[in-house]
Structure formats: C-alpha cells, structure tokens
Amino acid sequence: MQKDGVNVWRGVPFASPPVGERRFGAPLPPESWQGVRDASAFGPVSHQPPDRKGTRFPEEPPVYDEDCLYLNVWAPSEAESLPVMVWIHGGTFLTGAGSQPLFDGTALALDGNVIVVSVNYRLGPFGFLHLSPLGGTFTSNAGLLDQIAALEWVKDNIAGFGGDPGRVTVFGESAGSISIAALLASPKARGLIAGAILQSGPSQALSPGHGWGITQALLAELGLAPEDAGKLRTLPAETITQAAGTVMQRMTGGAPALFFQPVIDPLTLPEEPVRAAAKGVAQGIPVMIGTNLHEGDYFFREGAPLPEMGQSLRALEQTLGLPDLSGLAAHYPATREGQAGILTDVFFWRGAVAFAESLLEHGPVWMYRFDWVVEAHSLLSRAVHTAEIPYVFGNLSHLRRLGLAISPAMKSLSDTMRGAWAAFAHSGNPDTARLQWPQYSLADRATLIFDEASSVVKDPQPDKRRLLFSLKEAGI
C-alpha cells in the first residue's frame, strides 16, 4: 500500500513461526507461499504483559502470539539503492513491537530518503532464557538470533524494495540499543551491519552463571527439573509468561531491572560486548551513541510508589550482574530523585560512555545527549527515557496524545535529529548543513546536546564522569 508518498509493506515474515518444537530454538527461514501475499496489515507481536494504559498501542490492540517474527518496510516511491535503517524496538526485553504507531517510518523514510524497516523479535522468557546448557535444539539469545535473521532477510531481499543491502544501519532504543551492542559483538551478525545508532541503552549482558540461575528459578516456578525441560515446549505460553512475572517480582521486588536480556553464550554471544568492542569486533563500523539527561525519571515517577533504596540497588545489581553497589549510594540522596539519578548515571550514561570509548580505536564514534524538556508537563518536564523517539521518527503527533501542542521549536528539533540520523545512514557521518557534529575522542569528549538550541559541549559533567569511573569499591 502507499501512504503519503511512501510505499508500505506490513507483516512480512522473515522466519518460520517459532512454535511447537521450534519454541526456544534458533529461527528457521520463512516458509514460501504461492502468488501475491497481502502485506497491508501488521503481523502478530510477541507474547508480553498487556498494554493496559494503551501507551504502546493507543488505538487498537495487536494480536499477541508466538508466531511473531514479522517485519515492516517503508520506502519512498520509486526508491532505488537507498540506504536502509533497521529499527530494533525497546521495552526492557519484555514489551513492544516494530508495529507500534510511534515507530511508523513514513516521515523518516520520506524526509531522509531512506528505507525504514522495523522488526519484531521474541521477548521475555521466549527470547532471552539461557537455555543452551540444556543441549539439543534449545538455544540462548533466541531474540537476538531473531534480529539477526531479520538482518539476513534485509541483506537478501531489500534490493527488491529499493534498498542497498550494503548500506544497512541498525538503530534502536533501550533494549533495542542493548541488542545492537550485542549484535556488534555476535559472530553471527558479521557482515550484516554498516552503521549503528544506540539510543539510551549501553552494552550489557548477563554472565552464564547469572543467566542459568534465572533459568533454574523459572523451571522451579513451573515445577520442572532441568531434565524435564522438554515440557517447556508443550506448556501454554500464558503459563510461562505468568511464571516469569512471578519470578521477576520475587527477585527484584518490583524495582526497575532487566531480568531477561542477552547472556554470554559460546555460540551466539561469546564475549561481553564492551570487551569485544575493545578488541575490534566492530572494526570500521561508524557508531552514534547517546542518552537522555534524565533517563531514570521515567522509571521513578513523581507520585508513584517508591522502592526502598536498598531494593533498587539490588535490582540494579541484578541487571548489571554486579555483587555490590552500596558504595555508590553514599553519593546520592535516598529519595526519588536520588534513585532516578543512580539509574541515569550508572546504567545509562556510564554504560554508554564505556561502550563508546571501547570503540574509539577501531572506528569513528559520535556521542549525543538529549536535554529537551517541556516545562510543567507531568512527564516530559524532564528529558526522560524514550523522550527522543518521536523526534527521531518525526512522529510528533504522539506528543498530542500526551496533551501537548506541537510548537515550532519541537518541529525544528525533530528536523535536526531526523536529518542527522538520515545523514548517518547515507554517509556514516551525522553532519548536515544545519548541524556540525565532531567525532567523540578522549581528548575533548565532544558531545552534541540536543535542545532548543543544539550545541556541542566538551566533556559534559566531568566531575560526575570521573566519580562514576572511579568507584572501584562498587565493582563497576
């Protein structure tokens, strides 16, 4: 179908349905079909907790199903050999889909003259249980392998949609960004990525022991011993989802944490992404990476129940796979603002800086920070997690759902960001006529601050950066 000068294909299968005996296995090539396939409707999305507030799908709820491995393509009319931007959605590896209205690729494809592809992947226990120790066809990082299968589909097929398979930029936010760091480190993704944009998600992976502990806890909750794990393929999907939620609540106390995420595994992710990057695994691949100024305020909102500081620290330790963060707490107040600040600084900002610096000897890196706020708004009066996404996609109508009028300054910021993202996809450099963005280096740590008047700042918050990288007693 065509929409506003852009051709759109929805619900294109890039792998076979991962159901029955294929549950918890690596994705297999898609099944062929005869004749013309209808590509006017989005495919089902991965099983996940329900979207009760309508934030992900505000107009019409999707179909949730294990048969979820579909992608969507937006291409300018008469596209020919255009760069491709593959979006990997976030959602703490538990929620989300490439078909969310917020990720509509129309404006980005049209204004940036690029092909936009959004993908689904298996989430939660279906995508990120560490199961390879069980042997057989059980795999670890199934969700990561789904993303690789989508990239392989792009390489093999995107020319038919007007795209250049040699110019594929992956971009993603939160869990999508963490996924991209893992993709750069995965031997199975070699040769599939020409550029990478990581939004609000550092390199992060669980140790094998930590991942296996989570698997054992889930098996126990389901009443299964490891030797009975074959029954995981016959249990109702809802039973597994509910058991995962119970285990998460017990282990994190409801504090923000990444319970399911990539895990170090010999076949799919043999080394922590930050270590692999330092060894040159992403040699020659240009990278953009950044965070938002108040990431943590998205998770610790004014008026919401506040976990006790120790509980929040334990949840963060669970996420990072670290033994002790108590040395860090003394530098932050035991308040909502303090807990939000710890999450912003340790998980998001420090992790992004560490990954950026691990890449420097092997390819160009650009760093940004998103500072834009809307005064007096209940959520966006801070530059919270996810706040940059409408500006990158040019989907400012999403902000109207949050009670905002779209101002000229908002449109200008969106034009600036969308232009930089598209320029990067075209040339591997985000410079545009309206934005000069120097590369990041240890000499000056140049960082582009996206705000009402965007500008480059050298080494923003140097004292805090030095503190975060000197906390040896915290084990980070």
Side-chain angles (χ1 to χ4, degrees):
M1 63 178 290
Q2 190 172 86
K3 175 185 177 184
D4 301 328
V6 174
N7 292 319
V8 185
W9 294 267
R10 297 169 173 163
V12 180
F14 64 85
S16 294
V19 300
E21 288 301 309
R22 296 174 182 173
R23 180 192 277 178
F24 299 119
L28 298 176
E31 300 166 353
S32 61
W33 61 84
Q34 297 293 323
V36 178
R37 183 185 178 96
D38 184 359
S40 61
F42 291 117
V45 305
S46 179
H47 276 295
Q48 56 194 270
D51 181 21
R52 293 192 175 93
K53 295 182 179 180
T55 54
R56 298 189 292 277
F57 297 95
E59 296 174 359
E60 184 177 350
V63 174
Y64 298 96
D65 199 292
E66 286 187 83
D67 177 10
C68 64
L69 300 184
Y70 298 90
L71 56 77
N72 317 291
V73 182
W74 290 262
S77 299
E78 301 180 8
E80 185 175 350
S81 297
L82 294 182
V84 184
M85 300 186 71
V86 178
W87 172 253
I88 301 177
H89 71 81
T92 63
F93 295 104
L94 283 173
T95 64
S99 54
Q100 289 176 230
L102 179 58
F103 309 146
D104 184 288
T106 301
L108 182 57
L110 190 62
D111 297 341
N113 200 30
V114 297
I115 308 292
V116 177
V117 178
S118 69
V119 306
N120 292 347
Y121 55 98
R122 281 173 283 181
L123 300 170
F126 301 99
F128 293 94
L129 267 183
H130 183 36
L131 294 173
S132 59
L134 295 174
T137 58
F138 282 107
T139 190
S140 296
N141 297 317
L144 194 67
L145 294 175
D146 294 342
Q147 297 166 13
I148 293 170
L151 291 171
E152 290 173 337
W153 183 95
V154 168
K155 181 178 180 180
D156 294 339
N157 297 281
I158 204 63
F161 296 78
D164 180 351
R167 290 191 293 167
V168 175
T169 295
V170 287
F171 71 128
E173 185 268 347
S174 191
S177 176
I178 295 171
S179 294
I180 291 170
L183 290 172
L184 292 173
S186 175
K188 293 185 176 293
R190 301 279 159 77
L192 300 176
I193 298 171
I197 304 174
L198 294 85
Q199 302 169 211
S200 300
S203 66
Q204 172 64 31
L206 293 177
S207 69
H210 197 171
W212 181 239
I214 292 171
T215 299
Q216 288 179 305
L218 181 57
L219 289 173
E221 181 65 27
L222 292 167
L224 300 176
E227 56 267 24
D228 300 322
K231 296 179 180 179
L232 285 171
R233 290 191 163 121
T234 59
L235 288 172
E238 293 75 11
T239 299
I240 296 173
T241 299
Q242 291 171 4
T246 299
V247 174
M248 287 175 59
Q249 180 66 31
R250 184 165 63 242
M251 297 183 74
T252 68
L258 277 182
F259 194 79
F260 297 104
Q261 58 175 298
V263 61
I264 303 304
D265 171 71
L267 294 178
T268 55
L269 187 62
E271 193 168 22
E272 290 180 5
V274 70
R275 295 180 185 274
K279 295 177 180 178
V281 70
Q283 181 75 37
I285 298 177
V287 174
M288 282 169 51
I289 183 169
T291 60
N292 297 355
L293 184 58
H294 310 114
E295 300 272 8
D297 286 75
Y298 182 87
F299 304 93
F300 294 95
R301 302 190 190 184
E302 191 74 47
L306 181 68
E308 184 265 334
M309 174 66 90
Q311 187 180 60
S312 292
L313 288 176
R314 286 191 295 274
L316 189 54
E317 290 163 2
Q318 168 83 18
T319 295
L320 295 171
L322 296 174
D324 184 20
L325 287 172
S326 59
L328 179 66
H331 299 274
Y332 294 82
T335 61
R336 184 193 66 82
E337 292 82 1
Q339 295 195 40
I342 289 174
L343 190 59
T344 296
D345 295 343
V346 176
F347 182 72
F348 291 103
W349 187 41
R350 186 189 187 280
V353 170
F355 191 60
E357 294 185 357
S358 74
L359 293 162
L360 286 177
E361 293 185 9
H362 309 288
V365 178
W366 288 266
M367 237 181 144
Y368 76 86
R369 194 180 73 198
F370 182 84
D371 284 17
W372 173 264
V373 300
V374 181
E375 299 295 339
H377 190 269
S378 59
L379 177 62
L380 298 178
S381 59
R382 310 280 278 175
V384 299
H385 192 63
T386 77
E388 86 290 356
I389 298 176
Y391 297 90
V392 169
F393 275 91
N395 292 333
L396 298 183
S397 59
H398 172 78
L399 300 176
R400 292 194 181 98
R401 298 191 186 102
L402 301 179
L404 294 174
I406 308 306
S407 68
M410 291 177 178
K411 292 179 180 178
S412 178
L413 176 59
S414 180
D415 289 345
T416 298
M417 297 187 73
R418 199 163 64 255
W421 266 239
F424 183 83
H426 276 272
S427 67
N429 186 317
D431 277 354
T432 65
R434 64 188 295 172
L435 181 73
Q436 298 301 300
W437 185 347
Q439 291 183 31
Y440 186 82
S441 71
L442 295 181
D444 60 14
R445 304 179 189 275
T447 302
L448 199 291
I449 307 297
F450 286 108
D451 207 339
E452 184 166 4
S454 298
S455 61
V456 175
V457 174
K458 295 181 178 180
D459 198 8
Q461 297 181 292
D463 292 341
K464 181 178 285 188
R465 176 183 57 77
R466 283 189 284 267
L467 169 66
L468 293 172
F469 280 88
S470 67
L471 289 172
K472 302 299 184 183
E473 70 275 13
I476 60 176

